Amino acid sequence: MYMTTKSKESKKIARYSLLIMGAGFLGTIPFQGSFWVDLLQGGFEAGLVGGLADWFAVTALFRHPLGIPIPHTALLPKNRDRMTNGLVKTIKTEWLSKESIQDKIKQIKFTDILVGKIEKELHTDAFRHGLVSIIKKMISYIDVDRLTPVVKKQILKNALKINTSKILQTVGDHLLKEHYDQRALDHVLKKAENWLNESQTTYKLGAVSMNMLDKIEVDGILQFALNSMRNLLSEEKLGSIVKKLLLSGVNSLQKETDPNREAILTYIRNELQKASENVELLTSVENWKEQFLSNWEPDETISKTLHQFKQTVLETIEDEAFIETYLMPLVEHILTNVKEQDAQIDAWLQKQISTLVERNHEQIGKLVKENLDKLDNETLINTMENNIGKDLQWIRVNGAVCGFIIGIFLTGIQAVFRLV
């Protein structure tokens, strides 16, 4: 480490002062005997002694004068450990003690500083666009593919918790409210009517009815009557009779005043209302749900949806209206909440920082000691000379000057006494 320009200049001045005193002392020796010459010689002699003494004292702080290992010199290198430990102890126990740091922390109003700074910058373009840039970067750093399994797991977890009974009750209530019971019955009856009116239906009904008659087995007169009726009717006639009977029944059920229709609707309504309590139905739906979810592979769909959502959010943020419409109101709302709870926030922050200081206070001393131990003696000496060398060199100058003045004074006193 090199010395500063001011330190070098002060060192030169100290050296020149010593040279001047030495040159003056030597220069006055041939002219001794004159009062004024003796007076100057006494001043130069005392200045030389004072300058040399102070040079010795200043040099002895850092190194051996002229490299001679004189006792009680090179004080800094010899007492380095003691000085380091003393400095560390002073810093830890006095200058930067836990109590002093914690007391200072308690005086800091963190929310006032933070909120004041943000409010000052809030309406500047640099702050706004900087905040938008940070938000965009945070969103762009989100790895959607890594989120997909998490989202899938949560969806499956929530799906398994769905209350099947409540869903069935809701569906049933909705169907009844929208009169789907009547619509369903009318739809079935209309389909039945259309089928019965088809030409080939007569033959189908006749064939089925004749086949059923063949399978009926009765005894006695009933068998005779059945055989007689079978011989009188063809498949077409029998089918036509059955068709007319069925159409009559269908047409009757299509009338809203028909009691049979009302009985069927009542049965349907009761079944819909009791669906949420039907254990067999609930078990069946639950088994289907679990089977469906166990085989469901929504990963690709979820990933694609998340990518689209991420892109949509980024596009929304890039819109100029986003700042005024969403961002600024949000920031102002947050700042208002912070102001309302500034005491609690400050107390919490002060507690956390105080706890951090409590746990890591020893590190302050260790850090100072580690940094000092990294410096070898020469570097440490140069560092100190570089920082306090100017004042030390002026001690040498002051020593020479003061010695010169004192020398003149003492020599003058001696001359007065000789005259007396």
Side-chain angles (χ1 to χ4, degrees):
M1 184 179 292
Y2 297 99
M3 298 183 68
T4 61
T5 303
K6 290 185 178 180
S7 296
K8 290 180 179 180
E9 290 177 355
S10 60
K11 197 168 186 178
K12 287 181 179 179
I13 293 173
R15 187 182 300 116
Y16 291 153
S17 67
L18 191 59
L19 291 174
I20 290 171
M21 294 303 161
F25 174 72
L26 295 175
T28 55
I29 291 177
F31 305 101
Q32 290 178 341
S34 169
F35 170 76
W36 296 108
V37 173
D38 290 343
L39 192 65
L40 285 174
Q41 186 183 36
F44 285 127
E45 181 181 7
L48 180 60
V49 172
L52 288 172
D54 286 340
W55 166 81
F56 182 89
V58 170
T59 305
L61 288 173
F62 303 106
R63 55 181 63 86
H64 295 298
L66 302 177
I68 303 172
I70 302 172
H72 305 294
T73 59
L75 299 178
L76 179 60
K78 288 182 179 179
N79 297 277
R80 175 169 178 164
D81 291 338
R82 187 171 64 181
M83 293 175 63
T84 299
N85 293 333
L87 178 61
V88 170
K89 183 179 179 181
T90 301
I91 292 174
K92 287 173 56 179
T93 60
E94 296 181 20
W95 298 347
L96 294 176
S97 65
K98 288 187 291 187
E99 293 75 14
S100 64
I101 297 175
Q102 290 170 343
D103 288 341
K104 187 64 177 177
I105 291 171
K106 291 178 181 178
Q107 299 174 14
I108 301 175
K109 301 296 182 182
F110 293 100
T111 52
D112 289 347
I113 297 172
L114 179 62
V115 172
K117 182 65 176 177
I118 294 177
E119 286 182 336
K120 184 178 179 181
E121 300 291 334
L122 186 60
H123 299 290
T124 62
D125 291 338
F127 179 85
R128 294 184 173 197
H129 289 95
L131 193 55
V132 169
S133 178
I134 292 173
I135 295 174
K136 286 174 59 179
K137 286 182 179 180
M138 291 175 64
I139 295 175
S140 64
Y141 289 153
I142 296 175
D143 190 345
V144 171
D145 294 329
R146 295 183 65 179
L147 281 178
T148 299
V150 178
V151 175
K152 175 185 175 182
K153 182 179 179 180
Q154 192 62 39
I155 291 175
L156 294 176
K157 183 179 179 180
N158 291 336
L160 289 172
K161 291 181 179 180
I162 293 176
N163 191 327
T164 305
S165 176
K166 189 173 182 180
I167 290 179
L168 289 177
Q169 182 179 356
T170 303
V171 171
D173 292 342
H174 178 73
L175 292 176
L176 293 176
K177 182 179 179 181
E178 299 295 328
H179 304 292
Y180 277 100
D181 53 335
Q182 297 180 31
R183 296 182 187 181
L185 179 59
D186 289 337
H187 178 74
V188 172
L189 292 174
K190 187 65 178 176
K191 287 290 184 181
E193 183 181 14
N194 293 337
W195 181 76
L196 289 172
N197 287 324
E198 292 179 359
S199 57
Q200 66 270 25
T201 301
T202 301
Y203 296 100
K204 291 180 180 179
L205 290 173
V208 172
S209 299
M210 192 66 71
N211 186 39
M212 292 179 64
L213 288 175
D214 292 338
K215 293 181 179 180
I216 297 176
E217 295 182 1
V218 293
D219 296 328
I221 297 176
L222 290 177
Q223 183 64 43
F224 176 78
L226 186 63
N227 291 333
S228 299
M229 184 179 66
R230 187 180 184 288
N231 293 329
L232 291 174
L233 297 174
S234 63
E235 288 185 356
E236 183 179 358
K237 290 182 179 180
L238 183 58
S240 178
I241 294 172
V242 173
K243 177 179 177 180
K244 290 179 180 179
L245 289 173
L246 292 175
L247 278 173
S248 176
V250 168
N251 292 331
S252 178
L253 290 174
Q254 288 177 329
K255 298 177 181 178
E256 294 185 0
T257 57
D258 186 76
N260 291 325
R261 174 187 174 88
E262 187 62 30
I264 294 173
L265 289 175
T266 300
Y267 175 79
I268 294 173
R269 290 165 185 163
N270 289 336
E271 289 299 314
L272 285 175
Q273 290 174 343
K274 294 187 296 183
S276 61
E277 301 175 0
N278 189 323
V279 177
E280 184 177 352
L281 177 61
L282 289 173
T283 302
S284 176
V285 173
E286 284 290 339
N287 292 336
W288 174 84
K289 180 178 70 174
E290 292 178 3
Q291 183 178 5
F292 172 78
L293 292 176
S294 63
N295 296 324
W296 187 41
E297 295 294 339
D299 301 69
E300 184 177 351
T301 303
I302 294 174
S303 179
K304 184 178 179 180
T305 303
L306 290 176
H307 277 289
Q308 291 175 345
F309 179 73
K310 178 180 177 181
Q311 185 60 35
T312 301
V313 172
L314 289 173
E315 291 174 357
T316 302
I317 293 173
E318 291 175 354
D319 191 342
E320 289 296 328
F322 171 78
I323 296 178
E324 294 297 336
T325 307
Y326 301 102
L327 185 58
M328 288 301 103
L330 175 62
V331 174
E332 290 172 355
H333 178 70
I334 293 174
L335 290 178
T336 301
N337 289 338
V338 170
K339 288 180 181 178
E340 293 174 352
Q341 304 178 40
D342 58 346
Q344 297 92 321
I345 296 173
D346 281 339
W348 183 84
L349 288 172
Q350 290 165 359
K351 182 179 179 181
Q352 300 306 312
I353 298 174
S354 295
T355 301
L356 185 65
V357 171
E358 181 76 27
R359 292 177 179 175
N360 298 277
H361 185 258
E362 288 294 326
Q363 300 301 321
I364 296 176
K366 290 181 180 178
L367 179 62
V368 174
K369 192 172 188 312
E370 287 176 1
N371 287 330
L372 289 175
D373 289 343
K374 288 178 181 178
L375 303 176
D376 54 43
N377 287 339
E378 189 63 28
T379 303
L380 180 61
I381 290 171
N382 289 335
T383 301
M384 296 188 68
E385 285 186 327
N386 189 41
N387 288 280
I388 63 175
K390 178 183 177 183
D391 296 326
L392 293 175
Q393 299 307 323
W394 277 105
I395 290 176
R396 294 170 55 187
V397 175
N398 292 336
V401 173
C402 290
F404 178 77
I405 295 172
I406 294 171
I408 291 177
F409 179 72
L410 293 178
T411 303
I413 293 176
Q414 289 178 352
V416 170
F417 276 100
R418 289 194 193 102
L419 292 174
V420 175

